[in-house]
Amino acid sequence: MRIDTPAGSILCDPWVNPAYFASWFPFPDNSQLDWETLGQVDYLYLSHLHRDHFDAKHLKRFVSKKARVLLPEYPTSELEDELRELGFTDFIKTVSEEVIELDGGLKVMIQALTSPTDGPIGDSSLWVEYDGVRLLNQNDARPTDLATFEALGHVHAHMLQFSGAIWYPMVYELPQAAKTAFGKQKRERQFDRTWRYIDDLKASHVFPIAGPPCFLDDELWKFNDIFGDEGNIFPDQSVFMKEYAKVGGNNGVVLLPGSVTEITATSIETTHPTDVDEFFANKAAHLEEMRERKRPIIEAEKASWRHPEIDVLKEMKRRIEPLLEESIYLAKGVGGPVRFDLVGYDGDSVESIVVDFPGKEVRRYADEKVRYRFRTERALVEHLLFIDEVDWVNSLFLSCRFSAARIGQYNEFVYAFFKCLSEERLQYAEGWYDEHQRTTDAEDITIGDWVVQRRCPHLKADLSRFGIIDGDTLQCQLHGWRFDLPSGRCLTGVGHQIRARRAGDPAPSTEGEKPEAAAPTA
Ligand code: FES
């Protein structure tokens, strides 16, 4: 998206080239826009380092290095470092949630989210104001609420994600019926969350953006939402408009690559390069055409992944064991061995490697019970080791080029660890969990017949807004996590006990209580 005002233009997350082992492509295709012209901007905003937002090749080739970078306040300098490497030199280091005034009366504010589960150690939203017209590019960030933006005055344009951007549940080795049921639940939850954000901000106009991606490799083609599968987590903008209308929404605006919207405080006018309804009515044909056109790009990428000279076990040991040694919270949170089944070039032979979190070592699989099992091509892991990738979520897992099985509940620590394969990231994540576990959130609220802690044990959403009680279960609408209230047990993830009691029951004494361990596991 490019925001133009008389006081300057801001280019936001220009993503064109495929991401995550050539699995995700932008849809509709935006590669044929006039990027030479679009890249000549005054400001550049990169919300975070996920590769469907941070497209290094494109930034290097097309975006003016004179652009001033609006930098979110992140705990590590990785975003700035990567941009400097691409040739950007002028950085405006913003302070999270502080409005700054740029030349010509253009005002911006960036809210940075910094938990280890937000993007690759950080995700953000950009608020912009010019001449009384306000815009929020919430993107795919998930703040607990939008109060900070609301407080700055009525917003005219609210851009936010509404579709899926994850591997769940498709990659799990489950019966198809279960996958469909989980996918359906997820799809509904994504929309519910979107309605909640829209309702929070009550902007004049709502723009569904930041996804869904499309999948053009034959192996991943099935993930496109063109088969009428109610469990598909990647609904597109036209589905958004239909669902939004069902909940009374009538201010949605769909943008295609090349669409232009002009907004004032009282008016909006949008022009499109082609008819939007007709475009989505022919979605399958557009995808087919793209698939043929992009095939050589996918083939070229695939040819670069194999590195037979790499001894995967030895390299994983060298890279991962020192981090296991240092890890307290994440290792305890994972609580068991995680197995990688690496399928050889012949498509048949399998090398099984275990990352043993309690034993703090990487070794061959020894016929034991494991907490998670991932199955993927050996070549992909060879490539990760070859390029020294520190974030396997922002590469392997988001590629969806793997299958997974797990015993028990979702375990966020597994993924948090594999996105922190560097000293800097691991230390940050460990510190964050340490602080998070120590912060006892003492405030209670009453919802229906229950008194519960105000902040969600997952990522601290305000349960007076996001909590819904159904019988003895509380669901937090922000990410859909569920809690059994009589026992306080989290039904979605490991650990994360909630404090709850029936209204009318006396509050227990908390004197001498210790904060709960990061993740008690069996
Ligand atoms: S904050 Fe994630 S489910 Fe509540």
Side-chain angles (χ1 to χ4, degrees):
M1 179 170 62
R2 177 173 149 147
I3 303 163
D4 282 358
T5 75
S9 52
I10 310 172
L11 186 62
C12 308
D13 289 353
W15 173 43
V16 177
N17 295 294
Y20 315 124
F21 286 108
S23 60
W24 294 32
F25 285 75
F27 182 81
D29 187 15
N30 59 4
S31 59
Q32 285 154 1
L33 292 177
D34 177 7
W35 284 108
E36 295 284 357
T37 305
L38 290 170
Q40 298 308 309
V41 281
D42 303 299
Y43 302 97
L44 173 68
Y45 166 65
L46 266 307
S47 61
H48 62 302
L49 271 170
H50 270 155
R51 301 302 171 188
D52 57 320
H53 297 258
F54 186 100
D55 180 346
K57 195 170 158 191
H58 190 74
L59 291 168
K60 187 168 181 144
R61 165 80 180 77
F62 289 106
V63 180
S64 164
K65 301 304 169 292
K66 290 195 197 124
R68 307 190 73 193
V69 178
L70 302 171
L71 197 68
E73 186 186 20
Y74 285 145
T76 73
S77 61
E78 286 168 276
L79 180 57
E80 181 181 344
D81 296 345
E82 290 208 27
L83 285 164
R84 280 195 190 278
E85 243 172 67
L86 296 174
F88 294 93
T89 55
D90 192 354
F91 290 83
I92 300 173
K93 298 189 181 185
T94 65
V95 174
S96 184
E97 302 190 358
E98 244 177 48
V99 176
I100 48 171
E101 187 159 344
L102 305 167
D103 296 344
L106 182 62
K107 290 183 190 159
V108 298
M109 185 268 265
I110 297 175
Q111 182 188 57
L113 306 178
T114 57
S115 94
T117 50
D118 288 310
I121 316 286
D123 198 354
S124 66
S125 304
L126 171 72
W127 172 96
V128 180
E129 180 186 300
Y130 179 77
D131 198 21
V133 180
R134 296 178 201 94
L135 171 156
L136 174 64
N137 176 10
Q138 185 183 338
N139 217 322
D140 62 0
R142 308 262 177 83
T144 51
D145 57 51
L146 300 180
T148 315
F149 304 106
E150 247 181 298
L152 297 173
H154 178 76
V155 169
H156 302 89
H158 184 187
M159 284 100 176
L160 80 168
Q161 187 185 50
F162 62 98
S163 194
I166 191 89
W167 52 83
Y168 173 86
M170 307 87 75
V171 304
Y172 279 95
E173 295 165 16
L174 290 166
Q176 192 49 50
K179 267 195 212 188
T180 304
F182 290 137
K184 192 165 172 253
Q185 252 176 30
K186 169 130 183 51
R187 187 171 164 123
E188 282 163 9
R189 228 171 46 219
Q190 289 167 182
F191 278 127
D192 285 347
R193 183 178 54 227
T194 309
W195 309 150
R196 191 166 293 272
Y197 280 133
I198 291 173
D199 193 50
D200 253 12
L201 201 59
K202 295 189 175 48
S204 310
H205 310 285
V206 171
F207 297 75
I209 64 156
C214 67
F215 300 88
L216 302 180
D217 190 1
D218 295 343
E219 289 163 42
L220 307 169
W221 182 251
K222 57 182 184 265
F223 297 150
N224 294 307
D225 191 19
I226 49 174
F227 304 105
D229 169 13
E230 56 181 6
N232 185 297
I233 68 154
F234 298 111
D236 63 31
Q237 294 84 337
S238 68
V239 179
F240 167 91
M241 292 300 269
K242 282 184 207 122
E243 294 298 317
Y244 191 35
K246 285 187 200 162
V247 295
N250 56 7
N251 60 347
V253 184
V254 171
L255 299 178
L256 298 174
S259 297
V260 176
T261 287
E262 290 198 30
I263 302 172
T264 69
T266 52
S267 70
I268 180 166
E269 207 178 304
T270 305
T271 53
H272 299 290
T274 185
D275 184 84
V276 175
D277 293 338
E278 203 179 300
F279 180 86
F280 283 103
N282 293 311
K283 179 178 176 183
H286 290 302
L287 281 170
E288 288 285 1
E289 183 276 322
M290 256 181 106
R291 163 152 81 166
E292 288 317 311
R293 199 156 34 89
K294 306 282 186 186
R295 205 179 281 280
I297 298 176
I298 297 173
E299 292 312 319
E301 282 234 15
K302 281 187 171 180
S304 71
W305 299 338
R306 290 183 182 187
H307 303 280
E309 72 283 4
I310 290 182
D311 179 337
V312 173
L313 175 59
K314 199 169 138 206
E315 273 306 293
M316 280 178 70
K317 254 178 149 0
R318 190 179 67 79
R319 294 276 314 279
I320 296 176
E321 279 186 356
L323 299 170
L324 286 174
E325 208 47 64
E326 278 171 35
S327 175
I328 299 166
Y329 282 91
L330 297 182
K332 198 160 118 196
V334 177
V338 172
R339 167 176 157 192
F340 285 84
D341 284 350
L342 305 177
V343 182
Y345 302 162
D346 56 7
D348 237 1
S349 57
V350 175
E351 178 179 7
S352 289
I353 292 174
V354 158
V355 180
D356 181 348
F357 284 84
K360 310 248 178 216
E361 66 169 331
V362 179
R363 56 174 166 75
R364 288 213 185 282
Y365 172 59
D367 223 7
E368 68 227 276
K369 256 197 176 171
V370 294
R371 179 151 291 271
Y372 268 70
R373 175 169 54 73
F374 298 113
R375 185 182 176 89
T376 189
E377 282 177 49
R378 187 190 146 100
L380 300 188
V381 175
E382 286 172 358
H383 190 66
L384 296 176
L385 295 167
F386 181 76
I387 61 171
D388 230 351
E389 176 62 67
V390 301
D391 187 339
W392 288 20
V393 169
N394 197 8
S395 49
L396 174 64
F397 292 117
L398 280 168
S399 79
C400 303
R401 292 183 185 276
F402 71 105
S403 69
R406 69 179 193 227
I407 297 175
Q409 298 157 326
Y410 167 72
N411 187 313
E412 76 184 42
F413 301 99
V414 171
Y415 297 109
F417 182 83
F418 284 103
K419 71 161 77 160
C420 290
L421 299 180
S422 74
E423 182 79 18
E424 189 185 25
R425 281 198 183 189
L426 187 81
Q427 286 304 320
Y428 176 71
E430 288 286 329
W432 192 90
Y433 279 110
D434 187 38
E435 200 176 306
H436 193 73
Q437 296 298 326
R438 283 176 207 278
T439 314
T440 41
D441 196 341
E443 192 185 349
D444 284 339
I445 51 164
T446 303
I447 314 178
D449 295 337
W450 289 90
V451 176
V452 297
Q453 67 187 59
R454 177 171 196 137
R455 293 286 167 181
C456 176
H458 179 219
L459 288 176
K460 297 200 177 253
D462 184 347
L463 292 174
S464 67
R465 299 161 69 99
F466 286 90
I468 289 182
I469 289 184
D470 182 12
D472 282 351
T473 305
L474 177 139
Q475 183 169 39
C476 170
Q477 297 284 297
L478 192 57
H479 307 99
W481 285 40
R482 292 167 61 245
F483 302 87
D484 176 57
L485 293 172
S487 65
R489 201 164 62 84
C490 178
L491 302 171
T492 308
V494 180
H496 300 99
Q497 185 88 1
I498 196 169
R499 183 176 63 243
R501 64 188 153 86
R502 286 187 199 279
D505 286 359
S509 158
T510 54
E511 209 183 336
E513 240 178 44
K514 285 207 181 82
E516 197 199 5
T521 56

